[in-house]
Amino acid sequence: MTVSQFMQMALMDPKDGYYTNNNPFGRSGDFITAPEVSQLFGEMIGLWTIDIWQKMGEPEAFILAEAGPGRGTMMADILRTLLKLAPKMMAGMSVCLIETSDKLQKVQEDALSSFNVPLMWQSHLNDLPKIPLILLANEFLDALPIHQFVFQDGDWHERCVGVSSQGILQWGLVPTAMKPSLHANPQDGDIFEINTTAQTFCTDLSARLQNNKGAALFIDYGHLESSFGDTFQAMRDHRFVDVLSEPGKADLTAHVDFDPLMKIAKASNLTIKSTTQGSFLLAMGLLERAGRLGASLDVGEQKNIQNDVERLAAPDKMGNLFKVMAFAAEGIDPHGFD
Ligand code: SAH
């Protein structure tokens, strides 16, 4: 099978898939995502959402959607922020969680049911009602299956996963018609990754934003310019493990190549912005909010907040590796990208 089929199965198989059986996030899980580091992250995204809603002309009926919401922590922090700063916004708002894992849908329901807003779950973006949309996604694109292509003996091949005669998973290559085109000439062994699922998602999303108004914000690790490299990785218990060794037990991801996704949005005449997570969070007022949050706390708790801020925004932590990309319908200029 292709790497893409392997990744899809290992993560999403209805019986043995990683997201089917595990509760991967948080300190006790396999990895910690930004919303699980600190409430400050969701609060900054909440502020971004309010600004977009205002720039959309404060539509009464609209959807606030999140793709791949995990434990629902970011959405809970966003809804708390809206309730406090823009309660008017919540009157005509429906919250839609785009989630394929039944298990995680239940966890999200527990996290969000106390908020007095209509909640709905869908497995696909295309099933959302066609009204104005604000869509958010943190560490969603990296979980979508990638194809890998390997340059060998003067030609490109698709990378596959097979089973050896001893029953062990191993890599293989099959012929392909794909000819990845980059500025650099490929050398033997170069790997190029394509996330067709992410591209389809962005194609559908762009059409929707163009037709029904709205904006989208993606946060993920990856690169803003395409390049060669193998970024397929597996993580279990906060450690990198071999990608083929524990299918269904380890989280599989790949770095996001934002460049083709931005090109797709550009073709729909959307406004496109991108920057690093550190620069986005600082522009949204992370330091000011951290200062206010810490003002009434003791020194130990202030130190914890300071550590969380560093973890989210420092260049040697999540600040540079993670990128933020926004798409917006014509006339909406998203904040946070100065
Ligand atoms: N955003 C969360 C979780 C990130 S993990 C956080 O930051 O903590 C990836 C999430 O995407 C999980 O909720 C997983 O179940 C979901 N997911 C993966 N592939 C998906 C797909 N094709 N459609 C919808 N959700 C998907």
Side-chain angles (χ1 to χ4, degrees), residues 48 67 135-141 198 201-202 205 209 216-220 256 258 261 273 275 323-327 337:
W48 187 86
L135 180 132
L136 311 165
N138 184 63
E139 291 209 36
F140 164 68
L141 298 171
F201 187 90
C202 287
L205 174 69
L209 294 178
L217 189 74
F218 294 92
I219 307 110
D220 226 309
V256 177
F258 288 96
L261 308 180
K273 300 273 176 174
T275 187
K323 311 291 188 301
V324 184
M325 168 177 81
F327 301 161
F337 299 88

Side-chain angles (χ1 to χ4, degrees), residues 45 97 129 141 156 223 251 273:
I45 309 293
L97 292 315
L141 298 171
W156 287 100
H223 34 274
D251 184 44
K273 300 273 176 174

Side-chain angles (χ1 to χ4, degrees), residues 12 19 25 31 33 35-36 66-70 98-101 104 108 123 138-140 143-144:
M12 294 298 171
Y19 285 117
F25 321 99
F31 55 95
T33 57
E36 305 292 339
E66 184 180 350
I98 303 173
E99 175 61 68
T100 36
S101 155
L104 288 174
Q108 293 154 17
S123 310
N138 184 63
E139 291 209 36
F140 164 68
L144 302 179

Side-chain angles (χ1 to χ4, degrees), residues 201-264:
F201 187 90
C202 287
T203 304
D204 296 344
L205 174 69
S206 297
R208 199 172 258 274
L209 294 178
Q210 195 183 29
N211 295 332
N212 303 108
K213 280 263 172 215
L217 189 74
F218 294 92
I219 307 110
D220 226 309
Y221 44 93
H223 34 274
L224 296 174
E225 273 175 41
S226 302
S227 59
F228 295 132
D230 178 4
T231 75
F232 190 28
Q233 62 186 40
M235 199 169 244
R236 186 171 188 188
D237 204 9
H238 302 272
R239 278 200 204 99
F240 288 110
V241 295
D242 185 90
V243 281
L244 297 186
S245 66
E246 305 175 81
K249 300 269 184 325
D251 184 44
L252 297 181
T253 62
H255 284 211
V256 177
D257 182 2
F258 288 96
D259 186 55
L261 308 180
M262 293 194 277
K263 288 195 174 110
I264 287 168

Side-chain angles (χ1 to χ4, degrees), residues 44-217:
M44 294 303 109
I45 309 293
L47 288 180
W48 187 86
T49 308
I50 296 172
D51 179 66
I52 289 289
W53 178 70
Q54 289 170 344
K55 286 173 177 164
M56 283 162 75
E58 308 196 353
E60 203 171 301
F62 74 100
I63 292 174
L64 177 61
E66 184 180 350
R71 296 173 58 198
T73 308
M74 182 170 96
M75 186 54 88
D77 288 330
I78 292 171
L79 294 179
R80 201 170 34 75
T81 306
L82 302 192
L83 205 55
K84 204 163 173 194
L85 300 180
K88 210 170 83 176
M89 182 174 167
M90 298 176 90
M93 182 176 92
S94 305
V95 172
C96 182
L97 292 315
I98 303 173
E99 175 61 68
T100 36
S101 155
D102 292 342
K103 181 168 174 154
L104 288 174
Q105 284 195 9
K106 295 209 175 65
V107 177
Q108 293 154 17
E109 195 174 351
D110 285 346
L112 302 172
S113 56
S114 64
F115 291 96
N116 191 20
V117 286
L119 301 171
M120 62 175 135
W121 278 264
Q122 301 287 0
S123 310
H124 297 286
L125 173 68
N126 288 342
D127 297 329
L128 266 60
K130 292 200 162 66
I131 61 172
L133 169 71
I134 304 177
L135 180 132
L136 311 165
N138 184 63
E139 291 209 36
F140 164 68
L141 298 171
D142 69 65
L144 302 179
I146 53 153
H147 290 271
Q148 285 193 320
F149 299 94
V150 182
F151 193 77
Q152 196 170 290
D153 303 326
D155 211 350
W156 287 100
H157 309 265
E158 175 145 19
R159 201 176 192 198
C160 291
V161 177
V163 185
S164 73
S165 50
Q166 290 86 36
I168 295 165
L169 290 178
Q170 62 181 18
W171 298 111
L173 295 177
V174 292
T176 178
M178 264 294 305
K179 302 270 176 252
S181 63
L182 281 184
H183 294 305
N185 281 329
Q187 307 292 316
D188 244 30
D190 272 346
I191 291 188
F192 190 68
E193 298 175 337
I194 297 185
N195 193 329
T196 41
T197 311
Q199 294 187 11
T200 306
F201 187 90
C202 287
T203 304
D204 296 344
L205 174 69
S206 297
R208 199 172 258 274
L209 294 178
Q210 195 183 29
N211 295 332
N212 303 108
K213 280 263 172 215
L217 189 74

